[in-house]
Amino acid sequence: MNPPLPKEFIAGLTEGEGCFDLQFRRDVKYGRPGSPVYYGWKAQFVINLRKDDTPLLEKVKDVFGCGTIHFQTSLEKEMARYSIQDIENLYKIAVPFFRENRLHGKKQKDFDLWAEAVEILFENKNPKNIKKGIRGFASTQWNKHDFQRLLELHKEMEQYKAKRKQGVKWISAAEAYVLTLPD
């Protein structure tokens, strides 16, 4: 049996190939009557490598003890993607790991913002989704301050991300929803 990867190696790999992702997402339930639309926050930790580096991602997964590996084709390349998406695993495993094994430069600043968002999501894990109906958003248990802070964190994190539409696609819906929350 091979020894586990050093934690410092995983931190370095994350600096080069990792991502701390926070998104406000839209999900349409087409199989349900009226195809209801739900919105919700999603945080994830991701490392993307070439498919032939899958054994390395398996070792990363072994160190964390959670997460999944998926395969995808991107720009004619076969890629392997390790991700942790479960909010409890992010809060209890990924955040403490990167607090203990600090990153450097912009990646550390990105992590600090993301970690705060994960903490907010963990504390608010019961109001998972926001339903949008004909008359606007359904009420949930979201605290206005927490929801507003997630919007601020998302915006602050943009400076550390590659230019992409994916993460900001539904932010206008989040901005509209926060206005409906009581102070």
Side-chain angles (χ1 to χ4, degrees), residues 46-57:
V46 177
I47 297 176
N48 280 313
L49 297 175
R50 294 181 349 182
K51 187 176 180 180
D52 59 355
D53 283 325
T54 300
L56 181 59
L57 290 179

Side-chain angles (χ1 to χ4, degrees), residues 25 45 57 70 75 93 97 110 127 135 138 150 152 177:
R25 300 184 43 104
F45 164 64
L57 290 179
H70 296 282
L75 300 173
I93 297 170
F97 178 90
D110 189 31
R135 294 186 178 90
L150 286 172
E152 292 165 4
Y177 171 72

Side-chain angles (χ1 to χ4, degrees), residues 75-94:
L75 300 173
E76 309 289 327
K77 296 178 189 175
E78 296 272 336
M79 301 297 290
R81 179 180 191 270
Y82 169 72
S83 66
I84 302 174
Q85 299 180 17
D86 177 75
I87 194 64
E88 289 212 23
N89 289 335
L90 292 171
Y91 180 78
K92 294 179 179 178
I93 297 170

Side-chain angles (χ1 to χ4, degrees), residues 160-178:
Y160 304 112
K161 308 297 182 194
K163 301 297 179 213
R164 60 180 168 79
K165 291 280 185 193
Q166 179 182 347
V168 297
K169 194 172 185 179
W170 305 110
I171 287 297
S172 60
E175 291 168 339
Y177 171 72
V178 77

